[in-house]
């Protein structure tokens, strides 16, 4: 398999996935009972004429095929439409929340990974001992708890020390802060939501890491490595870990998409203005345009995460590289 | 015969399984000297792989080991994992059953051959690289292939590279567990010739495990015939063919099918393990276990009727 071919195929399948999601998005929203004009919250009591006017403005009175064409050509121009609620472009409505969510999820991922990998690697290395099952069961226990509950416990524990909501200190800008202060403030606000994500996910990652490592430890080359006189820790580090990074990476990137899509619960607990909260509000407002755009963005986020995993594969697996 | 370099004395191995205890090795005795080839032959399940792994202290935690593995008179199993580790690859190296997968797919073949050199301070840096090239050349692989990954090698090449890797630290004994089973006939011949050459040219002691009898003669002058975790007979290959001293070796080397099946190793029995399948078995064979006794200068057999079997009168 050659490298260029691999990349082209991955890229093509990523694009195809996004395209399919866009079509499904279009179909789903049209297949739902009623349309934007009947469901429009502010329109509950308005007249039939006003509904027709709205439909015309939203383009809902045109034939489906034409609507589809308009939708696709707008998408291709990068136009996600306008929010029913605020009249601003959907992209402007969502870009900010998405930019808030990504660092939070990124930090949560880094935190959960660090914890999960350490627990998983030690468990595989010392399998069958207390160092195997004790930290593993503790992390598994955390991961079966609802993430909002973990969030609430963190609020109780750290309430006095760290900010418990929002994304930055609204008063900070009056004190003419340095660049470092702004960054520190952002990190403080990120800390608890990220910690909640990390704690909620580290158990699954520990389990993934452990089982991938234990699988690799059963391979023939491990016996050879032992016969060569390597210590068990060195075998884990030099043989089992590099060989199990492939399954670990895939699963982690897959969960990345999940976390972004599921960020709503954490964002609600910490009143964090991210994509989850924005979509929640869009549901409340029956803001179809924002919902449609949001779903597409989330799909794109998951597809991009998978694409990154594929790129990492190139780096990790010599069998693809050549 | 040269002085024994490696001597295995009364080696026992038990595996603890949820269903019970398997007594896989039941007092194994073998010796091999420098430059000698010893075949370890016997039906599948008789404990050949277990014996090899036990000699390097590589059995899983479920195994209990008793007995001695003497290397130049020193029992290398006496002081546990840390002390046996020093002997791995520097004194005893091995090519495993399924050595095609002896290399990790994510590192280059050269790096994996060089690794034990650094670990045991045999060679480092440029010197190690040069030695890797030498070793690859020795086993008939182009030295530039050192920078390639295992998946770029054919099965036979990987097998030869595994042998090159085993030679990295100039071991005294090479333990090869069915090194040719997965290979086609031509590659099989290459690998066996290579082992034979290494034995004569480097003075390597080779213990070759196989259930394929023609293979043994290509590398080894002698063979230990194993049955149910013990040596049934120990002799020169020629004698095993012409005047075997044990009914089991006679049946094995005459190539005919042996009726019945080997005993279950989770059971104990008072007599000879082979007695239930043996056409010569007497009452004594079912009640008293035969010990391995000399039958000549270079032959010993664990059979009550050894002399008459070898003499052809039984
Ligand atoms: N890891 C293990 N756990 C339990 N039993 C084992 C293990 N390895 C080998 N055995 C048992 O020991 C006996 C000898 O096996 P083995 O040494 O693999 O034979 P051979 O290599 O001669 O085919 C068999 O009965 C096998 O079931
Ligand atoms: Mg075997």
């Amino acid at each position: 398999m050659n490298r260029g071919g691999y990349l082209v195929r991955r890229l093509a399948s990523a694009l195809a996935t996004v395209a399919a999601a866009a079509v499904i998005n279009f179909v789903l929203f049209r297949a739902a009972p009623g349309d934007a004009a009947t469901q429009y919250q502010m329109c509950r009591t308005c007249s039939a004429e006003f509904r027709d006017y709205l439909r015309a403005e939203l383009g809902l009175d045109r034939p489906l095929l034409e609507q589809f064409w308009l939708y696709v050509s707008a998408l291709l121009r990068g136009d996600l439409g306008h929010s029913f609620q605020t009249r601003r472009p959907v992209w402007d409505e969502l870009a900010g929340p998405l930019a808030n969510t990504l660092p939070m999820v990124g930090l949560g991922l880094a935190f959960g990974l660090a914890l999960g990998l350490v627990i998983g690697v030690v468990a595989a290395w010392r399998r069958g001992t207390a160092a195997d099952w004790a930290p593993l069961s503790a992390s598994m226990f955390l991961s079966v708890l609802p993430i909002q509950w973990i969030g609430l416990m963190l609020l109780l524990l750290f309430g006095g020390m760290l900010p418990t909501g929002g994304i930055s200190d609204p008063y900070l800008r009056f004190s003419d802060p340095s660049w470092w202060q702004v960054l520190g403030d952002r990190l403080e606000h990120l800390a608890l939501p990220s910690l909640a994500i990390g704690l909620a996910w580290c158990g699954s990652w520990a389990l993934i890491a452990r089982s991938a490592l234990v699988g690799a430890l059963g391979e023939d080359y491990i016996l050879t490595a032992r016969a060569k006189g390597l210590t068990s820790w060195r075998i884990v580090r030099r043989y089992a870990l590099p060989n199990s990074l492939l399954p670990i990476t895939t699963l982690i990137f897959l969960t990345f998409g999940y976390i972004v899509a599921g960020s709503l619960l954490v964002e609600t607990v910490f009143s964090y203005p991210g994509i989850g909260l924005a979509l929640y509000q869009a549901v409340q407002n029956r803001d179809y345009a924002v919902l449609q755009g949001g779903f597409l963005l989330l799909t794109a986020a998951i597809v991009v995460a998978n694409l990154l995993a594929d790129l990492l594969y190139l780096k990790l697996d010599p069998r693809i590289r050549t | 015969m040269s002085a024994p370099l490696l001597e295995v004395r009364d080696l026992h191995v038990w595996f603890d399984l949820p269903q019970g205890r398997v007594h896989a090795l039941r007092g194994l005795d073998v010796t091999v000297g420098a430059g000698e080839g010893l075949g370890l032959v016997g039906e599948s399940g008789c404990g050949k792989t277990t014996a090899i792994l036990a000699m390097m202290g590589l059995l899983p935690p479920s195994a209990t080991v008793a007995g001695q593995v003497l290397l130049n008179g020193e029992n290398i199993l006496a002081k546990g994992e840390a002390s046996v580790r020093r002997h791995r690859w520097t004194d005893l190296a091995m090519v495993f059953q399924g050595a095609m997968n002896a290399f990790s797919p994510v590192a280059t073949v050269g790096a994996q051959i060089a690794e034990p050199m650094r670990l045991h301070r045999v060679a480092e840096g440029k010197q190690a690289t040069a030695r890797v090239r030498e070793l690859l050349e020795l086993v008939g692989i182009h030295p530039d292939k050192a920078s390639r990954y295992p998946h770029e090698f054919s099965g036979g090449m990987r097998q030869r590279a595994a042998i090159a890797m085993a030679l990295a630290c100039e071991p005294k004994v090479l333990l090869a567990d069915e090194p040719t089973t997965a290979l086609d006939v031509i590659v099989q011949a290459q690998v066996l010739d290579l082992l034979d050459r290494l034995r004569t040219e480097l003075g390597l002691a080779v213990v070759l495990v196989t259930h394929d009898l023609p293979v043994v003669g290509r590398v080894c002058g002698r063979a230990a015939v194993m049955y149910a975790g013990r040596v049934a007979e120990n002799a020169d290959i020629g004698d095993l063919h012409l005047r075997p001293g044990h009914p089991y070796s006679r049946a094995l080397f005459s190539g005919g099918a042996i009726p019945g099946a080997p005993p279950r190793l989770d059971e104990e029995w008072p007599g000879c393990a082979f007695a239930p399948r043996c056409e010569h078995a007497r009452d004594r064979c079912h009640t008293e276990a035969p010990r391995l006794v000399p039958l000549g200068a270079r032959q010993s057999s664990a059979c009550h009727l050894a002399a008459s079997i070898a003499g052809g009168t039984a």
Side-chain angles (χ1 to χ4, degrees), chain B residues 202-231:
Chain B
L202 306 179
L204 203 62
V206 176
V207 177
L208 179 68
V209 167
T210 180
H211 60 252
D212 188 0
L213 296 173
V215 160
V216 192
R218 305 202 48 165
V219 184
C220 307
R222 302 173 57 72
V225 178
M226 282 183 66
Y227 190 76
R230 270 175 190 240
V231 173

Side-chain angles (χ1 to χ4, degrees), chain A residues 219-232 234 238-239 242-243 246 316-322, chain B residues 53 56-59 85 88-89 94 96-98 101-106 112 115-116 119-120 149 151-152 165:
Chain A
E219 296 286 339
D220 286 341
Y221 51 79
I222 297 290
L223 190 60
T224 307
R226 283 180 63 209
K228 288 203 264 186
L230 272 67
T231 59
S232 70
R234 197 179 160 106
R238 297 281 301 256
Y239 287 82
N243 276 291
L246 288 175
L316 294 177
D317 193 345
R319 282 163 293 192
I320 303 178
R321 221 182 297 156
T322 43
Chain B
L53 292 177
M56 292 193 78
L58 289 175
L59 287 169
R85 193 183 300 134
R88 291 188 188 142
W89 234 245
M94 100 203 282
F96 288 105
Q97 201 164 354
N101 307 319
F103 291 94
S104 158
V106 299
Q112 295 182 64
E115 185 182 29
L119 190 74
H120 297 289
Y149 288 89
H151 73 274
E152 300 172 75
M165 180 156 71

Side-chain angles (χ1 to χ4, degrees), chain B residues 48-49 97 177-178 209:
Chain B
K48 306 179 297 288
T49 300
Q97 201 164 354
D177 190 358
E178 316 231 7
V209 167

Side-chain angles (χ1 to χ4, degrees), chain A:
Chain A
M1 196 172 5
N2 84 33
R3 189 179 186 145
Y6 173 81
L7 270 182
V8 167
R9 274 193 298 117
R10 291 293 138 159
L11 217 76
S13 90
L15 282 175
T17 311
V18 176
V23 173
I24 291 171
N25 223 349
F26 177 86
V27 174
L28 269 185
F29 278 87
R30 263 79 190 166
D35 62 18
T38 51
Q39 299 290 331
Y40 196 26
Q41 199 192 20
M42 298 195 310
C43 204
R44 222 173 279 148
T45 55
C46 59
S47 64
E49 289 77 21
F50 185 65
R51 281 185 208 283
D52 287 341
Y53 165 77
L54 257 180
R55 278 204 186 91
E57 191 181 283
L58 296 171
L60 295 175
D61 57 341
R62 320 255 181 105
L64 265 183
L65 255 153
E66 194 186 337
Q67 284 185 41
F68 184 67
W69 168 243
L70 287 174
Y71 166 74
V72 170
S73 53
L75 268 188
L76 288 178
R77 276 179 277 117
D79 178 3
L80 293 175
H82 287 71
S83 161
F84 294 176
Q85 187 78 21
T86 62
R87 300 282 160 145
R88 290 169 58 211
V90 167
W91 176 246
D92 292 353
E93 287 284 310
L94 291 177
L98 191 64
N100 290 344
T101 294
L102 288 180
M104 178 187 82
V105 170
L107 199 65
L109 195 76
F111 182 72
L113 265 185
L115 205 63
L117 285 186
V118 168
I119 293 173
V121 169
V122 170
W125 174 40
R126 290 270 176 250
R127 60 192 173 288
T129 68
D132 175 2
W133 59 262
L136 200 65
S137 3
S139 64
M140 287 306 296
F141 176 70
L142 277 177
S143 71
V144 297
L145 296 175
I147 192 166
Q148 61 272 36
W149 190 84
I150 296 178
L152 286 172
M153 290 302 117
L154 288 177
L155 279 181
L156 284 178
L157 273 173
F158 295 101
M161 289 172 259
L162 286 164
T164 56
I167 185 169
S168 57
D169 182 353
Y171 300 107
L172 190 66
R173 61 196 168 93
F174 297 118
S175 61
D176 190 21
S178 72
W179 192 82
W180 280 112
Q181 277 170 308
V182 173
L183 185 71
D185 176 57
R186 280 298 291 270
L187 283 178
E188 273 184 2
H189 282 81
L190 280 175
L192 288 185
S194 300
L195 197 61
I197 291 179
L199 288 177
W201 284 88
C202 70
S204 329
W205 288 326
L207 213 60
I208 290 168
R210 185 188 183 278
S211 68
L213 278 161
V214 167
L217 284 169
E219 296 286 339
D220 286 341
Y221 51 79
I222 297 290
L223 190 60
T224 307
R226 283 180 63 209
K228 288 203 264 186
L230 272 67
T231 59
S232 70
W233 171 239
R234 197 179 160 106
I235 290 171
V236 165
R237 206 167 41 88
R238 297 281 301 256
Y239 287 82
L241 199 54
N243 276 291
S244 50
L245 276 180
L246 288 175
I248 294 179
T249 322
T250 333
L251 285 163
I252 283 164
F253 274 92
L254 287 181
T255 47
F256 178 79
Y258 261 113
I259 303 175
V260 174
S263 59
L264 168 64
L265 292 172
V266 181
E267 290 176 357
T268 314
V269 172
F270 294 100
S271 341
Y272 191 90
I275 188 87
L277 217 51
L279 288 182
Y280 180 65
Q281 263 143 29
V283 171
Q284 301 256 293
N285 296 334
R286 301 279 192 279
D287 197 334
Y288 282 76
V290 170
L291 279 178
Q292 209 169 341
F295 289 158
L296 200 61
L297 275 184
L298 288 182
T299 314
I302 292 172
V303 169
V304 167
N306 285 332
L307 206 57
L308 287 178
D310 291 333
L311 287 179
L312 213 60
Y313 257 49
L314 275 183
K315 184 106 193 64
L316 294 177
D317 193 345
R319 282 163 293 192
I320 303 178
R321 221 182 297 156
T322 43

